[in-house]
Amino acid sequence: MSLVGKHGYKETAVGWVPEDWRCEQLGGYLTLLTGAPFKSELFSSDGGIPLIRIRDLLRGFSETGYVGEYDDRYLVNAGDVLVGMDGEFHVVRWKGSPALLNQRVLKISEKPGHSDVGFLFFLVASVIGKIQDGISATTVKHLSTKDLQNLTAAIPPLPEQQKIAAVLTAVDGKLDVIARQIEATQALKQGLMQTLFSQGVANWPSVSLQEVAEVRTGVAKGKKGLKEPIELPYLRVANVQDGHIDLTEVKTITVEAAQVGRYALQSGDVLMTEGGDFDKLGRGDVWEGQISPCLHQNHVFAVRPAPSKLNSYYLAALAASDYGRQYFLSCAKRTTNLASINSSQLKAFPVLLPPLDEQVRIADIVAAANARIEILSTKKAHYQTLKRGLMKKLLTGEWRVKLDSPTGTA
């Protein structure tokens, strides 16, 4: 819907907004506090008050404590609005325990009588991209307090700010509930697998993966001089997630027509990633032929079990369990933040091999947990889309909230 020329709206530097809204720099509506340069020699891993650094913003907790003296004004409580001043400029409401505001983290507060801190949280989150776009590309982007203070935005009257914040906060509350449900289901799944496979270590035979499955490597990008080239969809590391295959974005790759059979996936193949973060080793899921034909990249292994010996879904669960991850970590090549395995190490993976009916029973238990996680993830995506739409409509005034006050705007 276009607001251009609409009755009750006016043209401003940020577009058409309601006539009773202001178009001003944010400096008059927020109070900013930058974190203190606490002494690193007083950092502690087992004591003190938590210290909030940029890495802690999204996860909502800190593993670093501070054991020195501090000024109370740097104390952050749950609900306070924080912004990371380097990198992606994440805007969050702190969800952890009381903690200290470290340097390069910014705390945003309202100006009483002029602004609502809940509204400022959503407003800053929506406009911070303008600052990022205006900063030249460097290794790390840096945010200053002036960047925020000088940013021009549409500001509704205080009662409308508060109502907009209440609407959006309600959606955030729903997202928080769903996130906790997903986390609890994932923990339950890991607990179930831990119990099932711990019992199996003592009772089931173990064979190397190559005895009961074929490990297939994928196609490499960038090959030149291809004969009879053909372009087909293929799966990358980004498509292979823990417990599901993400087909949101499937890219294509050019291969020789004669090589399609060599790299094409079959229904029942277990996809595993070659490497990534430590906790990603062994992750994967079963390919069910959602796209045909479909190839796989050389950083994604396709493991093709012998159906009479090994159930694909059981193998995927075993590889993702603590048992599987401990094996992969024990033989992986490691760098500072990453780890990887090669095909020989994967082929040597010691597979716990109960009877097929027991494999199916275990696979069904894990599948039930995965299905619950998938339902919750879909629900989460719905509310995230809803939130984005509401922010766009409410923060521009295209949709007006109904105020409880008789003097409010309908």
Side-chain angles (χ1 to χ4, degrees):
M1 173 183 170
S2 174
L3 298 177
V4 176
K6 183 180 178 182
H7 177 69
Y9 287 77
K10 62 186 178 183
E11 187 175 13
T12 70
V14 297
W16 287 77
V17 301
E19 287 182 345
D20 57 338
W21 286 29
R22 295 177 179 271
C23 179
E24 297 181 356
Q25 291 183 330
L26 286 180
Y29 294 89
L30 46 71
T31 300
L32 303 178
L33 175 66
T34 54
F38 293 102
K39 297 178 180 178
S40 59
E41 59 265 29
L42 296 178
F43 290 4
S44 171
S45 59
D46 57 5
I49 185 167
L51 190 67
I52 303 172
R53 295 189 280 181
I54 288 177
R55 72 186 72 170
D56 305 318
L57 292 178
L58 291 182
R59 61 184 185 176
F61 66 90
S62 172
E63 296 175 333
T64 303
Y66 186 72
V67 296
E69 296 183 354
Y70 58 87
D71 187 327
D72 284 347
R73 69 194 179 106
Y74 293 110
L75 199 59
V76 172
N77 295 299
D80 285 345
V81 177
L82 307 178
V83 183
M85 300 178 73
D86 294 328
E88 298 299 317
F89 305 158
H90 293 300
V91 184
V92 305
R93 300 200 80 156
W94 181 245
K95 296 179 180 179
S97 58
L100 292 175
L101 190 70
N102 195 40
Q103 59 185 343
R104 304 309 300 163
V105 180
L106 184 67
K107 177 183 173 182
I108 295 178
S109 304
E110 75 277 10
K111 287 199 173 180
H114 295 276
S115 56
D116 175 81
V117 70
F119 174 79
L120 290 175
F121 165 62
F122 293 108
L123 179 63
V124 171
S126 71
V127 300
I128 199 80
K130 294 180 181 178
I131 297 176
Q132 288 181 315
D133 293 342
I135 298 175
S136 61
T138 58
T139 305
V140 179
K141 293 185 175 183
H142 301 287
L143 176 71
S144 72
T145 56
K146 286 185 178 181
D147 289 328
L148 270 180
Q149 291 170 330
N150 295 338
L151 194 63
T152 299
I155 311 291
L158 183 57
E160 194 165 358
Q161 292 181 39
Q162 294 166 338
K163 192 60 180 283
I164 290 172
V167 172
L168 295 174
T169 298
V171 179
D172 267 355
K174 190 67 177 178
L175 284 168
D176 286 342
V177 170
I178 296 171
R180 290 194 295 271
Q181 291 173 332
I182 291 174
E183 186 177 342
T185 307
Q186 288 173 331
L188 174 62
K189 171 186 166 183
Q190 285 300 123
L192 285 170
M193 291 195 298
Q194 175 70 14
T195 300
L196 291 167
F197 296 127
S198 294
Q199 295 171 349
V201 169
N203 301 319
W204 301 330
S206 171
V207 301
S208 65
L209 181 60
Q210 63 184 346
E211 295 180 56
V212 289
E214 178 188 0
V215 175
R216 302 171 67 90
T217 54
V219 60
K221 293 177 63 178
K223 288 188 176 180
K224 307 291 185 180
L226 299 177
K227 299 178 180 178
E228 298 184 42
I230 182 173
E231 188 172 352
L232 293 172
Y234 79 113
L235 299 186
R236 302 163 292 126
V237 171
N239 299 117
V240 182
Q241 301 296 315
D242 187 2
H244 73 283
I245 306 299
D246 183 357
L247 300 179
T248 305
E249 182 185 24
V250 177
K251 296 187 176 182
T252 59
I253 193 169
T254 302
V255 296
E256 292 184 356
Q259 292 291 307
V260 171
R262 164 69 180 82
Y263 298 115
L265 295 171
Q266 290 184 11
S267 183
D269 285 351
V270 180
L271 303 179
M272 298 183 186
T273 56
E274 178 186 67
D277 298 335
F278 290 163
D279 63 343
K280 301 297 189 297
L281 283 180
R283 77 176 184 188
D285 198 19
V286 179
W287 178 248
E288 296 178 334
Q290 297 95 319
I291 301 171
S292 182
C294 186
L295 315 183
H296 62 108
Q297 186 187 26
N298 58 327
H299 298 300
V300 174
F301 296 113
V303 181
R304 190 164 294 167
S308 62
K309 300 177 181 178
L310 181 61
N311 178 275
S312 297
Y313 296 92
Y314 169 80
L315 172 61
L318 181 66
S321 70
D322 288 344
Y323 171 87
R325 290 180 179 180
Q326 286 172 10
Y327 168 77
F328 293 125
L329 282 174
S330 71
C331 62
K333 178 182 178 181
R334 304 192 189 197
T335 58
T336 304
N337 298 312
L338 303 174
S340 63
I341 56 172
N342 58 40
S343 60
S344 296
Q345 293 162 335
L346 181 55
K347 290 175 181 178
F349 175 46
V351 178
L352 300 175
L353 203 64
L356 270 175
D357 58 348
E358 179 68 5
Q359 293 181 36
V360 172
R361 186 185 75 85
I362 292 172
D364 287 345
I365 292 173
V366 176
N370 283 338
R372 172 64 176 162
I373 293 171
E374 185 65 24
I375 290 171
L376 289 169
S377 297
T378 300
K379 193 174 181 181
K380 178 182 177 182
H382 165 73
Y383 277 97
Q384 287 173 329
T385 300
L386 173 64
K387 178 184 172 181
R388 286 193 295 269
L390 284 172
M391 287 180 67
K392 182 178 180 181
K393 301 290 188 182
L394 295 176
L395 295 175
T396 60
E398 181 176 342
W399 285 0
R400 305 297 300 274
V401 294
K402 184 170 182 175
L403 303 179
D404 299 327
S405 166
T407 60
T409 304

